[in-house]
Amino acid sequence: MALLNPRALRWKIAALTAAACCAVAAVIGFLVHDATRERGLRVGHERTITRLIAAERELSRTGKAPPDVDVRTREELPDPLARDLADQPETSGGYATWYDADPPNWFWMWGAVAVGGDQFLVVRDDMSTEVRSLQLLDRSIVKSVLAALVFVVPLAALATEPINRRLRHGARTARRIADGELDARIGSTGRARDEITEMSAAVDDMATALQRKLENEQRFTADVAHELRTPLMGLVTAAGLLPETDEATGLVRDRVRALNALIEDLLEISRLDAGAERARLDAVPLGEFVADVVRRTGTGTQVAAGDAEVVETDPRRVERIVVNLVTNAHRHGAGPVQVTVTGARISVRDHGPGFPAALLEQGPQRFRTGAGERGRGHGLGLTVAQGQAGVLGARLTFANAPDGGAVATLDLAPGPSGTV
């Protein structure tokens, strides 16, 4: 289909080449046309003067003008020819000519010369032959240009194929990097050292720097989570030893649970980043399973699962995704929160301010919620949910309902064209 795309680079270059050829042909054609026309007029002028000289000789020898030459008075002359004669000296050497053209079929070269008194020899020479030759030349030039374009345009399109191939390779590599394949590189192909090579090298350098920064971030996240786990266990133990009647005990235990959840999220993200997670598939009656998961969250979320299917999936990961989506809806949205299971699709909707534009455009970002109106948070819940969906081969999408509220949809059977 790229070959037929009129906006493709190959056809733009071909069109530019064709335009340049047409411009060159137009200039050359104009010069040839003008030179041929001037030559025809010069030939007609010389032929007319030659006839006038011959007529003068005939008149001086026999006293009569040749049959094809008129003898006229000044009043009988055509006005342009009379004006030209007025500029000539009143002698037998003052020859005047006038090109009388009235397309498409009237082309004459007039000539006149004074022969004494108010008498003038007048000749009229047909210029149709020269005009027809000029028209044939113009048509030949146009046909030659069109014939050349028939070959030039395809050849120009084919000549750009190496450039197009390199650009397509660069675009595919950039998409692979955007999809998470950070080791992908464009590389240097062939011996060309041009702007495309410079761009490829710059993209590769950018990808290398990006990969290094992301790997450092992932390594830092994993190290922090692992380092915090040991002191957190001490906090959990210490919180368990606090007296039950103390009001501060509940507050401390709640914060310890929140910290423990954060560290667990960081550890899970580090495992997802490392690509170490693998789904363990099992047959899951999706409607009953989701209803049970939502019930155990204790959030009072409404569940509708009338058309659910039995799906081959990893129940632990589906549970984690559903819990994160429901928790996010209650924490950052507004009630009522509704979970709908249809076939192999799970939708979680709240009636709050909706997802921020940055999240809809770029997807979930760790340590960023994207909008103050959706509350505070570290932004890991949706990031973990998206990562788990990727492990399952499912598609997790985010949108805002037309009448308000955020809608997160998990499709466990996205099909071959689905994207995670």
Side-chain angles (χ1 to χ4, degrees):
M1 295 303 295
L3 183 64
L4 302 178
N5 182 10
R7 293 182 293 180
L9 181 61
R10 69 171 72 245
W11 296 118
K12 292 181 180 179
I13 295 178
L16 182 61
T17 304
C21 292
C22 289
V24 172
V27 172
I28 295 176
F30 174 78
L31 294 176
V32 172
H33 174 92
D34 190 64
T36 304
R37 181 178 180 276
E38 291 297 327
R39 178 178 176 279
L41 291 177
R42 185 170 61 253
V43 169
H45 174 80
E46 292 174 354
R47 191 166 57 225
T48 301
I49 297 300
T50 300
R51 290 182 61 191
L52 287 176
I53 294 174
E56 283 185 300
R57 291 175 179 173
E58 180 73 15
L59 181 63
S60 62
R61 188 177 70 254
T62 63
K64 294 182 180 180
D68 58 344
V69 176
D70 296 335
V71 179
R72 300 186 183 185
T73 63
R74 184 178 296 274
E75 289 76 14
E76 296 174 334
L77 295 177
D79 291 339
L81 192 61
R83 286 194 298 269
D84 194 13
L85 277 172
D87 297 332
Q88 304 295 329
E90 291 291 336
T91 65
S92 59
Y95 300 101
T97 58
W98 168 50
Y99 182 51
D100 183 12
D102 186 14
N105 299 314
W106 185 273
F107 303 97
W108 297 92
M109 179 67 75
W110 293 74
V113 62
V115 291
D118 195 35
Q119 300 293 315
F120 298 89
L121 294 178
V122 179
V123 298
R124 189 176 65 170
D125 194 64
D126 188 6
M127 297 289 293
S128 298
T129 301
E130 286 76 8
V131 172
R132 299 293 181 268
S133 299
L134 183 61
Q135 292 173 346
L136 288 175
L137 176 63
D138 292 341
R139 283 196 289 268
S140 298
I141 293 175
V142 172
K143 291 179 180 178
S144 300
V145 171
L146 294 178
L149 290 179
V150 171
F151 293 97
V152 168
V153 172
L155 287 177
L158 291 175
T160 61
E161 180 57 26
I163 298 175
N164 292 333
R165 190 182 301 115
R166 294 167 63 193
L167 291 175
R168 289 195 298 269
H169 172 66
R172 287 193 300 268
T173 304
R175 292 191 188 98
R176 288 165 56 195
I177 296 173
D179 292 337
E181 191 177 339
L182 299 182
D183 292 329
R185 295 293 182 270
I186 298 175
S188 178
T189 57
R191 299 180 179 179
R193 293 295 181 268
D194 51 19
E195 291 82 357
I196 298 179
T197 303
E198 296 179 4
M199 182 194 69
S200 301
V203 172
D204 286 347
D205 292 341
M206 178 187 67
T208 300
L210 177 63
Q211 181 181 20
R212 188 180 301 115
K213 290 181 180 180
L214 289 178
E215 289 175 348
N216 291 338
E217 177 187 334
Q218 294 168 3
R219 190 179 303 111
F220 175 77
T221 302
D223 291 345
V224 167
H226 283 288
E227 291 295 330
L228 289 177
R229 207 168 191 186
T230 299
L232 178 62
M233 292 302 100
L235 284 176
V236 172
T237 302
L241 298 176
L242 293 175
E244 297 291 343
T245 58
D246 192 345
E247 182 179 350
T249 299
L251 179 60
V252 171
R253 290 178 177 174
D254 177 70
R255 292 299 87 194
V256 169
R257 283 193 297 270
L259 182 59
N260 184 60
L262 173 59
I263 293 176
E264 289 298 327
D265 284 345
L266 290 174
L267 286 172
E268 189 163 3
I269 285 178
S270 67
R271 290 193 296 269
L272 291 170
D273 287 340
E277 295 289 280
R278 296 293 182 272
R280 297 181 179 179
L281 303 182
D282 197 3
V284 178
L286 202 57
E288 299 175 8
F289 177 76
V290 172
D292 181 63
V293 170
V294 174
R295 177 182 57 79
R296 284 188 279 111
T297 62
T299 55
T301 302
Q302 303 173 10
V303 180
D307 299 328
E309 298 178 355
V310 176
V311 180
E312 285 284 334
T313 188
D314 189 330
R316 184 185 71 82
R317 300 185 190 281
V318 174
E319 178 180 358
R320 186 65 191 277
I321 295 172
V322 172
V323 169
N324 282 12
L325 294 180
V326 170
T327 302
N328 182 81
H330 281 282
R331 181 179 298 167
H332 303 302
V337 176
Q338 301 165 332
V339 177
T340 304
V341 184
T342 305
R345 180 174 298 172
I346 305 171
S347 296
V348 180
R349 178 187 176 180
D350 64 50
H351 290 75
F355 289 119
L359 186 144
L360 296 178
E361 293 176 1
Q362 304 172 11
Q365 304 291 321
R366 62 190 68 176
F367 305 114
R368 188 176 71 182
T369 56
E373 64 270 16
R374 287 191 64 84
R376 296 182 177 180
H378 46 66
L380 295 181
L382 295 182
T383 305
V384 170
Q386 188 178 54
Q388 294 289 12
V391 175
L392 292 173
R395 179 173 57 193
L396 181 59
T397 57
F398 304 94
N400 289 329
D403 55 345
V407 181
T409 303
L410 175 67
D411 192 348
L412 294 172
S417 62
T419 57
V420 176

